[in-house]
Every structure is written in C-alpha cells, then in structure tokens.
Amino acid sequence: MINLVTGGAGFIGSFIVERLLRNKEKVICIDNLSTGKTDNIGNWINNPKFQFINHDVTKKINLKVDRIWHFASPASPIHYQKDPIMTSKIIFLGTYNLLEIARKNKAKLLLASTSEIYGDPEVHPQNESYWGYVNAIGKRSCYREGKRIAESLCYDYFRIHKTNISIARIFNTYGPRMAPEDGRVISNFISKAIRNEELVINGDGSQTRSFCYIDDLIAGLFKLMESDYIKPINLGNPNEEYSIIHIANIIKRKINPSLKIKNQKLSEDDPIRRNPDIKKARLLLDWEPKINIDTGLEKTISYFKNNL
Ligand code: NAD
Ligand code: UDP
C-alpha cells in the first residue's frame, strides 16, 4: 500500500506519516514547508519506506499511489488570512490536483475538511446535516469557502468518476508539533506563557472551542480511511468545550501563575461557539475521543518546554 500524505511536514500530517511508517506502510510526503517543518519528519528521512517531495499542491504531479491523505493547506487564521487569494487557490487547485491523482490511480482520497465550514453556527452542537451560517466575503471566507468547495469537488468526483473519498470535518485539534508561532490559541498561549509574555485574548474570551487531542484525532482519521462512508463526518471532542478565557487561565496556572492576560478586539467572523455532534463517528467508526484537556495540555506543554 503506497500512501501519499500532503501537508505531511505539518502538525496533523506528521502524525499520519508516523503511524503509517509504524504500520510498515510506504509513505510519500508532499509539502512545500510553508508552515510545516523538516524537524517534524526528520526522524524518517533515512527510512527506505519514506520519501519526501518538496512540492506545492497547486502544481500538477504524477504519482503512483493507493491512498491519499490530503492535509496540505494553511490552517491557522493568521496564515490563511495573510494571502487569502493564495489560500483559495491552494485549497481549490490542491484538492483538484489530488483528486485527479486519485481518479487516475483508482486510489482513495481522505480530505481534511474543517468545522469552519459551519461558519458562526446557529445550532449547537453542530451535526453533519447542518448547512452552516457562512459569510461569503469575510476575512475567514477564503478558508471556509475554500474547504466548502473542496468538499463539493470530492463529492462530485465520487458522483461522476466513482472516486473513493472520505471527508473529515476536523474540529480544533492540538498537541505536540504545532508550530509555536502559528497563532492558534493553544500553541500561542503555551509558547507565550513559557516565554513569560502576556496572553492576548481576542474579545472578552467567552467564545468557545471544543479541543481534541491529536492522538484521538489520528485514531479517528485511520478508522475513517478504513471505512466505506462517503459523506462528511465530524471528528472532534464534544466533551472538552471551553471558553478561551478558561483555556488562558488553565495554561497560566500550569505554566506561570503570575502571567498577565490582556484583551483585544475580537477578529471578524470569529465563531462564538463550536461543539461537534459526533453521533455519526460513534456509530459508523466506533470512535470517540478519550483524552481530556488536562492530560492533553500536560503532554503539549512538555513538548513545547523541550522544543522552544
Ligand atoms: P499545519 O500548518 O501544521 O499543516 C499544514 C501543512 O500543509 C504544512 O506542513 C504546510 O507546509 C503544508 N502546505 C500548505 N500549503 C501547501 C501547499 N500549497 N503545497 C504543499 N504543502 C502545503 O496545520 P495542521 O493543523 O496540521 O492542518 C492540516 C490540515 O488539517 C489542513 O488542511 C487544515 O485545514 C486541517 N484542519 C486542521 C485543524 C486543526 O485544528 N489543527 C482543524 C480543522 C482542519
Ligand atoms: N485566540 C485568542 N488569542 C490567541 C489566539 C486565539 O483569543 O492568541 C482566540 C481566537 O480569536 C478564537 C479562538 O481563540 O476565538 C480559537 O482560535 P484558533 O485560531 O486556535 O482557532 P479557530 O478560530 O480557527 O477555531
């Protein structure tokens, strides 16, 4: 079985590569190292079953593969908003190019979609049949609308070419190997707390996210790749929904109780509440997350302390 992991030098992608190699499968990793790091894949560079190709997914490439894990995309708001036209281009063209490889090889493609496709949701928790509440022209639209068209493309390849697909709607996931400067809340707060810099909360901090630890997400993604389920499926941790102020206070307590916290303006279209309904994943994949925020943060903090 030859696996192609796009975005394999990034946070989530590197854990997919690691588990595939542990299972003795062949892995081709494509990444342009825009937010990913060679450190994340350094351990496997000399592994004969591993090949790294520095490549931008907006450009065509011909490869012989059996499975595609399509994770290449800017993922953090500060990265995807920096060059929004490029973000739309990467998500659309990247998904199109990878679906073409899947079609030609009769390979399966798993798309890393996102809870962002629900926008600023009006229903809680969000289940897969909710169509979302999305601003088409806001600052987050390049990413949200990009992932919506990516889902749509996948489904059209399934309808028209019978391409085997899976669509994971991933909710906020955190853990070791997140880039300290990537702007996402947990990596930002932990790296700032270790450096004794004040934590900056956008808005009053009452907005929530549901936080899933990376090991739980990876278990769900592997079950999804094995399944025949075609429609989108939520993967996230419904039991660990916390406000951002609560997360700031836990990290402060764990790393540096004397840290200062300040507030700044909430950014445009920042969702107020997010929580996954994972009934489908429970039923169809026999999956649910097991790691709570306390354990997950301890592991993540320990990684950041050793790697900052
Ligand atoms: P990340 O930034 O660590 O990883 C993304 C990887 O894609 C990086 O290695 C980057 O260099 C690579 N990349 C970006 N543009 C590329 C291009 N044009 N060509 C080739 N490689 C490119 O972020 P992550 O959190 O690991 O996210 C991985 C995927 O999961 C993304 O598709 C993201 O949308 C999705 N996702 C992540 C989360 C989360 O909470 N972490 C939530 C929902 C969806
Ligand atoms: N956030 C914050 N301070 C930070 C980073 C993020 O207050 O230093 C907030 C952000 O405005 C959002 C939440 O934390 O409300 C989660 O942000 P993140 O970028 O991690 O994920 P996303 O918004 O994409 O769900």
Side-chain angles (χ1 to χ4, degrees), residues 75-78 80-81 114-116 140 143-144 171-173 178 182-189 192 198-211 243-245 247-248 262-267 269-272 274:
S76 162
I78 58 162
Y80 68 67
Q81 289 173 24
T114 167
S115 53
E116 275 288 323
R140 295 172 83 110
Y143 182 69
R144 310 183 157 157
F171 283 64
N172 298 65
T173 300
M178 291 185 93
D182 90 351
R184 285 180 280 191
V185 67
I186 289 197
S187 45
N188 236 18
F189 284 177
K192 284 184 181 214
E198 69 184 352
L199 309 186
V200 182
I201 291 181
N202 300 333
D204 64 5
S206 61
Q207 71 272 30
T208 72
R209 297 293 187 270
S210 298
F211 293 97
S243 68
I244 299 308
I245 182 83
I247 293 294
K262 77 167 186 187
N263 295 79
Q264 68 176 20
K265 202 168 157 275
L266 190 65
S267 49
D269 290 340
D270 199 315
I272 296 306
R274 194 182 271 161

Side-chain angles (χ1 to χ4, degrees), residues 46-200:
N46 296 322
N47 184 326
K49 289 190 184 284
F50 180 73
Q51 182 188 1
F52 174 68
I53 306 176
N54 189 331
H55 175 80
D56 181 332
V57 291
T58 63
K59 311 270 186 313
K60 287 192 187 313
I61 186 168
N62 281 324
L63 291 167
K64 286 241 160 301
V65 296
D66 304 298
R67 281 179 170 176
I68 300 170
W69 307 72
H70 182 35
F71 282 69
S73 160
S76 162
I78 58 162
H79 287 133
Y80 68 67
Q81 289 173 24
K82 199 166 58 192
D83 187 349
I85 298 173
M86 182 52 80
T87 298
S88 300
K89 200 172 154 185
I90 293 169
I91 302 177
F92 176 78
L93 281 180
T95 307
Y96 169 75
N97 286 334
L98 271 301
L99 280 165
E100 276 295 294
I101 297 176
R103 181 182 67 78
K104 288 177 191 156
N105 285 273
K106 296 196 185 323
K108 171 158 184 177
L109 180 141
L110 185 154
L111 172 73
S113 185
T114 167
S115 53
E116 275 288 323
I117 65 101
Y118 297 118
D120 193 359
E122 299 153 298
V123 300
H124 301 283
Q126 294 84 54
N127 68 35
E128 293 85 349
S129 52
Y130 177 54
W131 288 355
Y133 183 62
V134 183
N135 175 4
I137 56 166
K139 288 192 176 155
R140 295 172 83 110
S141 306
C142 55
Y143 182 69
R144 310 183 157 157
E145 297 287 17
K147 292 287 184 172
R148 288 170 76 95
I149 191 72
E151 288 196 7
S152 165
L153 261 183
C154 286
Y155 215 79
D156 284 335
Y157 267 75
F158 162 68
R159 256 192 293 254
I160 295 167
H161 301 299
K162 306 278 171 279
T163 305
N164 193 359
I165 55 150
S166 283
I167 300 172
R169 288 187 179 156
I170 301 169
F171 283 64
N172 298 65
T173 300
Y174 69 100
R177 298 194 203 141
M178 291 185 93
E181 312 302 339
D182 90 351
R184 285 180 280 191
V185 67
I186 289 197
S187 45
N188 236 18
F189 284 177
I190 293 178
S191 52
K192 284 184 181 214
I194 292 172
R195 294 184 180 124
N196 203 18
E197 293 169 15
E198 69 184 352
L199 309 186
V200 182

